[in-house]
Amino acid sequence: MRPWKTLLLAAALTLSAAVPSAAAPPAVPAPDCAWKPLGYRTSNVAFPDTNAQYWLLHHTVRKGLRITLDGRFPDARYASFASYDATRGSFTGPDGKPSVLTDHHIVPDPGSRNPFLRDARPGGKYTVTVSDDAAHRNNVLPLAPAGTAEGSAGTVIYRLYLPHGGEVELPKVTFELDGHRVRVPTCDDALTPAPPAPPAPASEARAARAVTGAIAPAPARPAFARTAGAGLYPNPDNAYLSTGFEAPAPGQVLLVRGKAPTATAGDRAQPWPGRGKAQVRYWSMCDNLWWGPGEVVVNPLPDGTVDPGCRADFDTRLAADGSYTYAVGTEEQRATVEGVPGVTFLPLSAATPTAKHLLILRNMVDGPGFDGAIQRVPVGSDPVRTAEIMGAHYPRTGYCALSTLTSSGPDGCPVA
């Protein structure tokens, strides 16, 4: 090589070493996929309502992180987005409101309409942002409670109750940090129908019976109290009453009776509160297992279907005065109970029928002026205070012989 070429090459190498290379873009803390399904047909944890579908979007808290959800308004009884902290609890955002964005509070994109806000066809577009800058802005959910350390876990849940025809379209998800954007694909199993959750293994059933112990001939009446659902991804739009109870003695059922709130009808999107007299958007009574991770009862039936442990407003029989009566019993008692006018059957677990169970009553999105709503009861109120506030809407209980129920009807079985 000629000397002058050698000098030029050396100079070029020196300059290239002096000029720093372009910095690699910062990593955007996005998950591998969006919308992991949750519910009684998948993992069956956290006391799911069997008329709801849930999808989880996990994230890692970073200052300045923005998550954008581009979707279309569904045709369903109810839809919402809610944020949760690392303990799976909801929280209060910087505007002092719960960390939830309910369907009728979502502002549609320009040119679209929200069917939960005014009469319109479903399918209009919306854009929701999850951000640490959520105060006083439309369609923004708080990313995490104020003061949350970077690197903490967080979750956003998309909920649907009673989607019309079972059709679901999940929002598109984009993570953005420091000007860099990542589109997160939808999880492969997000919309894959899952088989019903299997019953508890025999070993767990034996353990449950061992914990519960022998059932007394006349167990004490269970009494409902106001609970929060902390640590179990509670829906901020729901308010809950719950009570544990011992399984009825052989030949008996547990009766639960109260006045039903009027609810929005059907499975179509419609404005809330609308022009009707609905006191709540939805309500249900669900039977759950006391032990374990929070399972709702799901009993396999001989025809390959299941009997889920929830009965909602639309499949609960009402008396002329608007009251309901549930009879909680075994699947073997179902046909007899359903032959009693005005009584709705609610199943015990077929796998562990003698174990302790947990009843949960939900009221969703109470309407203005509904003084008997669970939402009016302070969290942590005992049964006496809860009953005082709710009045006739408070669920009262009592054990009853099945033979008495069939011969005398629900009025022959006292509740208190």
Side-chain angles (χ1 to χ4, degrees):
M1 182 180 292
R2 294 184 179 182
W4 63 270
K5 289 185 176 182
T6 303
L7 291 173
L8 287 175
L9 178 60
L13 291 173
T14 301
L15 286 173
S16 65
V19 177
S21 60
V28 179
D32 293 335
C33 68
W35 307 129
K36 293 294 295 182
L38 179 70
Y40 83 101
R41 290 187 175 274
T42 53
S43 52
N44 195 3
V45 298
F47 303 113
D49 189 303
T50 57
N51 291 299
Q53 297 183 43
Y54 314 81
W55 292 270
L56 276 61
L57 173 62
H58 297 297
H59 63 82
T60 301
V61 175
R62 291 281 297 276
K63 183 176 177 57
L65 175 65
R66 291 170 57 88
I67 305 172
T68 303
L69 312 175
D70 297 296
R72 293 182 178 273
F73 290 104
D75 197 5
R77 172 84 74 92
Y78 163 92
S80 72
F81 295 98
S83 295
Y84 297 87
D85 60 21
T87 69
R88 299 181 298 178
S90 57
F91 55 92
T92 300
D95 56 0
K97 297 179 180 179
S99 54
V100 63
L101 192 57
T102 312
D103 46 31
H104 63 285
H105 290 148
I106 298 175
V107 178
D109 289 351
S112 290
R113 301 182 72 183
N114 180 349
F116 298 99
L117 189 60
R118 55 180 56 89
D119 289 323
R121 292 176 61 85
K125 295 181 180 180
Y126 62 79
T127 303
V128 168
T129 301
V130 187
S131 168
D132 55 9
D133 179 21
H136 310 297
R137 295 171 58 194
N138 290 328
N139 290 9
V140 180
L141 269 177
L143 184 73
T148 298
E150 291 200 64
S152 300
T155 307
V156 175
I157 293 184
Y158 179 48
R159 281 182 174 84
L160 283 181
Y161 274 69
L162 299 173
H164 178 65
E167 296 183 1
V168 175
E169 179 180 340
L170 296 173
K172 303 295 189 296
V173 177
T174 303
F175 275 57
E176 181 178 357
L177 181 65
D178 297 331
H180 298 274
R181 296 164 57 89
V182 173
R183 174 60 64 89
V184 181
T186 300
C187 298
D188 292 339
D189 61 348
L191 297 176
T192 302
S203 58
E204 294 185 13
R206 287 193 296 270
R209 283 191 285 270
V211 170
T212 304
I215 298 177
R221 275 196 183 100
F224 284 86
R226 176 75 158 95
T227 48
L232 294 168
Y233 292 128
N235 182 354
D237 281 333
N238 279 340
Y240 308 92
L241 298 185
S242 66
T243 181
F245 70 97
E246 302 295 341
Q252 292 190 348
V253 292
L254 172 67
L255 292 192
V256 183
R257 185 181 305 159
K259 184 175 177 59
T262 57
T264 302
D267 60 356
R268 310 303 296 261
Q270 53 186 297
W272 174 263
R275 294 179 292 274
K277 297 182 179 179
Q279 296 170 317
V280 294
R281 181 77 72 85
Y282 170 94
W283 65 270
S284 68
M285 182 78 75
C286 295
D287 188 22
N288 309 265
L289 300 180
W290 177 268
W291 53 277
E295 297 179 54
V296 67
V297 167
V298 184
N299 289 338
L301 299 178
D303 62 0
T305 62
V306 298
D307 184 14
C310 292
R311 299 292 187 267
D313 47 68
F314 61 90
D315 55 8
T316 297
R317 297 173 174 179
L318 299 181
D321 63 355
S323 65
Y324 59 79
T325 300
Y326 292 109
V328 188
T330 64
E331 291 291 346
E332 291 75 18
Q333 297 170 319
R334 179 177 181 176
T336 302
V337 168
E338 290 181 342
V340 181
V343 178
T344 302
F345 174 74
L346 198 61
L348 294 166
S349 168
T352 58
T354 60
K356 191 173 183 178
H357 284 63
L358 176 74
L359 287 176
I360 297 177
L361 175 65
R362 289 172 172 84
N363 282 182
M364 176 191 286
V365 189
D366 60 313
F370 179 29
D371 293 334
I374 300 174
Q375 284 85 345
R376 300 293 191 272
V377 184
V379 173
S381 295
D382 64 17
V384 173
R385 181 58 178 153
T386 302
E388 288 176 351
I389 296 173
M390 294 184 65
H393 293 278
Y394 179 77
R396 302 178 186 277
T397 68
Y399 291 92
C400 180
L402 185 58
S403 58
T404 302
L405 180 65
T406 56
S407 62
S408 304
D411 290 339
C413 300
V415 296

